[in-house]
Structures are given as structure tokens and as C-alpha cells.
Amino acid sequence: MKKQEAKELNAFLEKTTKALELEKAPKGFVRSVMQQVELQKENTHSIGYIPLVSKTLWIGIGCAVVALFWFLGFGRNHTSTDWFSTFKLNTIGNMDAFNSFSNSLSVSDSTIYALSGLLVFLGIQVIYLKQFFAKREVLL
Amino acid sequence: MSKDKDHPLITLARTGDTAAYAKLVEKYQHMVFTLALKLVGRSEDAQEVAQDAFLKAYQALNSFKGESKFSTWLYKITYHKGLDLLKKRKRTVATDSIDEGFNINIPSLENTWDALEKKEQSETIKKAVDELQAADAIVITLFYFEELSLNEIAVVLSLTPNAVKVKVFRARKRLAHVLRSKLEPEIIEGYEAYN
């Protein structure tokens, strides 16, 4: 009985809503939207992506790095090492201060597990949140 | 995507053809404006919402994957833009409390409806829908006027199809209730004339 009533009501409303007319958008609405679209298009062009470090500069930096290594590798024989030895480059990696600090520091296994778990979940959350906000940005 | 009639215009608009996008705006302007008006209530606000929705849709056109119809996607953007404006104005979407405790004599309503002139019918249904709360008016407009399926309305309102089914059922009852109150004087008049 209820189903029949719902069916009748639906048929009646289908009939009545046929007489329903849409509200009219104000005059000049399309023009006003398109003006904004054009404006947006121009703005997008004018704030196009410009890299902070240009390609030429990257090539220059690359050449400088290659030249530096070449100089360190091959050119060292021809130069005096007196001033260079003052840097004590051979001591790099002997982190005495760090070693003495790490010897006195003891971290329990459970702390390590907890921190690893936290890092894993943080990583998952970052991926999830990134996807969530990317979707939201498209929709809204 | 292939089922969408707007596909050729969308493809052109994606390549930067604004004339193609203007055709889409032209086609959907009234529906988008109607939805916005039902949601926010004021014409000026509705215009702002509709404009923002078309701008957002243009911006995000490349991310439209065609999983739904373009119109459904556009109505979803409009609905969310409307909600954003309501949030900004610290207002919420008005909904009625559940009220299913009334009986409607459909045949009597139908007779009275049929006796009305076309213009009167149009005015009566418009007034009745305007009297509904925003949430009901939107559901009725999408379901009966735009003839969207429950699944499509679910996409627009970000709800499950089952929740939409319940909403449609309730909105339908409320509309019938309002219509009855609009048509009651005519029913009584007809009854008196008959006697």
C-alpha cells in the first residue's frame, strides 16, 4: 500500500515539476564569466613558472664543479701543498666528538621501535594528506 | 567520457579555446544559477557562487577525468562553492525536521492540478519549491528537473546513494505537503461548486 502511494506521489510530482522553470541567470552573466576567464588566462601566463636557477647557470655550476675536481685530481702535482695541508682534509670522517657523545648515549630498543613506528605512520599520513588536499583543491 | 555530449567542447576548451568554454557556460548558466540560488537564497550571492563555480571549473578542466557527466561535475563544484559561501557568512544549509505524519490524497490533488491553467501550474510549483528548505529544493531540482539519477545526485552532494534515496523520499513528501496547502483553496472551491 505504501509502495503504491509512493508510486502515485512520484508520478504526480513528475507531472507537476514539468511545469517548473529554471531561474534565469542575470543578463550579461556569460560575458562577465568569460571576462574573468580571460583575465585568469592572462594572469596564468604572466605568472608562468620561472626557475630560480636558470639552465645556463646550472651548466656553469656543472662546469665549475667538473673543473674543480679536475684541478684537485690532476692539477695538484703542479701546485704547492703547503697551504692546502692546513685544511687537514685527511681528518674528515674521524668524528671524535661524535664518537665520544654516542658512547655515552644509550637508547633502548623500545624507543627505537616507537620512533620507527612513528616515522612510518608519519610517512603514510603525508601521502594520505597530500592526496586528500590535491582532491579537495580540484573540487573546491 | 564518450557518453558526454559536451566532450568536444571540453576538448577544445582544454586547448585554450575560450569560445568553446563560453558555449558550455551559456548551456549551463541557468541550471548552475538555479542551484546556487536554491542553496544561498539571495540573487547576488547566487550570482557570485555561479561565477566562482564556472571559474573553478575552467581552472580544473584538465583534471576532469570524465568519470561522471560534465554537468554533474559542474553541479558538484557549484554545490561546494555554495557551501563555502554559506560557511563564510556563517550560515548553514536549512533542512526540515522529519515530518512524515501526514496523508495526501493524490487523486484529489491531481484533479485540481489538471484544472489549473499552464501559467498557474508553473507559478504554483515555483512557489511550492521556493517554500521548501534549501536541502529539499536542491534534491527536488536535481531529481525531477535535471533528471539526475540517485548515483549522480550522490556525486553532487558527496553522499551515498542510499542517503540520497532517503533525502529524495522526504523532500518529495514535503513538496507534496506544500503543494496541497497551495492547492487546498482550489480543492475546496471545486468541492463547493460540485455540491
Side-chain angles (χ1 to χ4, degrees):
Chain A
M1 190 65 187
K2 277 209 164 183
K3 263 193 176 176
Q4 183 60 27
E5 259 178 43
K7 219 174 167 184
E8 277 179 16
L9 181 62
N10 192 34
F12 172 64
L13 291 181
E14 265 177 15
K15 190 197 245 184
T16 56
T17 45
K18 279 206 172 84
L20 195 62
E21 284 169 10
L22 282 183
E23 304 285 345
K24 296 276 175 246
K27 274 188 180 177
F29 178 78
V30 178
R31 201 179 50 209
S32 144
V33 170
M34 291 319 292
Q35 272 173 355
Q36 294 217 29
V37 165
E38 294 285 356
L39 201 71
Q40 197 181 53
K41 213 174 148 189
E42 278 172 29
N43 287 344
T44 315
H45 283 305
S46 63
I47 53 163
Y49 172 70
I50 301 165
L52 192 63
V53 181
S54 66
K55 259 187 186 174
T56 329
L57 199 57
W58 274 121
I59 293 169
I61 292 169
C63 289
V65 170
V66 170
L68 183 70
F69 276 100
W70 181 85
F71 173 75
L72 290 177
F74 303 106
R76 238 181 352 177
N77 295 339
H78 308 292
T79 54
S80 162
T81 55
D82 292 341
W83 64 274
F84 203 69
S85 58
T86 57
F87 287 131
K88 293 185 178 173
L89 289 176
N90 56 336
T91 61
I92 292 176
N94 302 340
M95 290 179 282
D96 297 337
F98 182 77
N99 286 341
S100 61
F101 172 72
S102 62
N103 287 338
S104 64
L105 185 77
S106 62
V107 183
S108 69
D109 283 351
S110 45
T111 312
I112 291 170
Y113 294 143
L115 282 174
S116 324
L118 187 72
L119 279 174
V120 168
F121 284 111
L122 197 70
I124 292 168
Q125 273 185 43
V126 166
I127 296 165
Y128 173 75
L129 287 175
K130 198 172 167 285
Q131 278 178 347
F132 174 78
F133 284 114
K135 258 188 198 172
R136 194 177 152 78
E137 199 178 311
V138 169
L139 292 176
L140 306 183
Chain B
M1 175 72 90
S2 55
K3 64 183 174 184
D4 202 331
K5 286 174 193 164
D6 300 319
H7 180 51
L9 287 175
I10 296 165
T11 312
L12 283 173
R14 273 178 179 155
T15 61
D17 185 345
T18 46
Y21 192 67
K23 281 183 189 163
L24 289 170
V25 177
E26 183 108 42
K27 185 175 173 185
Y28 291 110
Q29 58 170 330
H30 300 306
M31 186 60 198
V32 166
F33 181 74
T34 303
L35 266 186
L37 190 61
K38 298 274 177 262
L39 192 59
V40 296
R42 285 174 48 196
S43 182
E44 298 81 18
D45 288 345
Q47 195 178 342
E48 189 186 325
V49 168
Q51 208 156 313
D52 284 354
F54 278 116
L55 272 179
K56 185 74 210 175
Y58 183 75
Q59 260 179 354
L61 211 53
N62 282 326
S63 67
F64 171 63
K65 295 185 184 86
E67 285 160 357
S68 61
K69 283 194 284 186
F70 174 74
S71 54
T72 310
W73 182 70
L74 183 62
Y75 301 154
K76 181 175 178 142
I77 294 174
T78 310
Y79 182 70
H80 283 90
K81 282 283 169 194
L83 290 183
D84 280 352
L85 189 118
L86 289 177
K87 204 171 159 188
K88 210 162 77 183
R89 305 266 152 93
K90 291 179 180 160
R91 283 154 58 198
T92 52
V93 184
T95 48
D96 263 334
S97 58
I98 305 159
D99 183 9
E100 291 167 22
F102 52 83
N103 293 316
I104 302 152
N105 186 349
I106 304 290
S108 142
L109 273 183
E110 207 159 3
N111 288 340
T112 318
W113 178 262
D114 290 339
L116 292 179
E117 297 278 323
K118 274 218 160 183
K119 200 182 163 194
E120 280 176 316
Q121 284 182 343
S122 178
E123 278 170 11
T124 309
I125 187 70
K126 187 184 179 312
K127 277 182 191 165
V129 174
D130 284 349
E131 264 184 41
L132 290 176
Q133 298 285 18
D136 290 336
I138 286 167
V139 167
I140 290 289
T141 310
L142 291 172
F143 188 74
Y144 285 108
F145 193 86
E146 193 60 12
E147 292 177 348
L148 293 193
S149 67
L150 292 178
N151 285 339
E152 285 171 325
I153 299 175
V155 171
V156 174
L157 305 181
S158 304
L159 293 170
T160 62
N162 271 342
V164 172
K165 201 174 172 183
V166 173
K167 273 185 179 285
V168 169
F169 177 78
R170 287 173 183 168
R172 205 154 47 187
K173 277 226 154 189
R174 283 184 203 117
L175 178 61
H177 183 60
V178 178
L179 266 176
R180 186 181 64 175
S181 69
K182 297 268 167 225
L183 294 173
E184 220 149 45
E186 308 277 343
I187 296 171
I188 294 166
E189 215 171 84
Y191 182 73
E192 281 171 356
Y194 181 74
N195 286 316

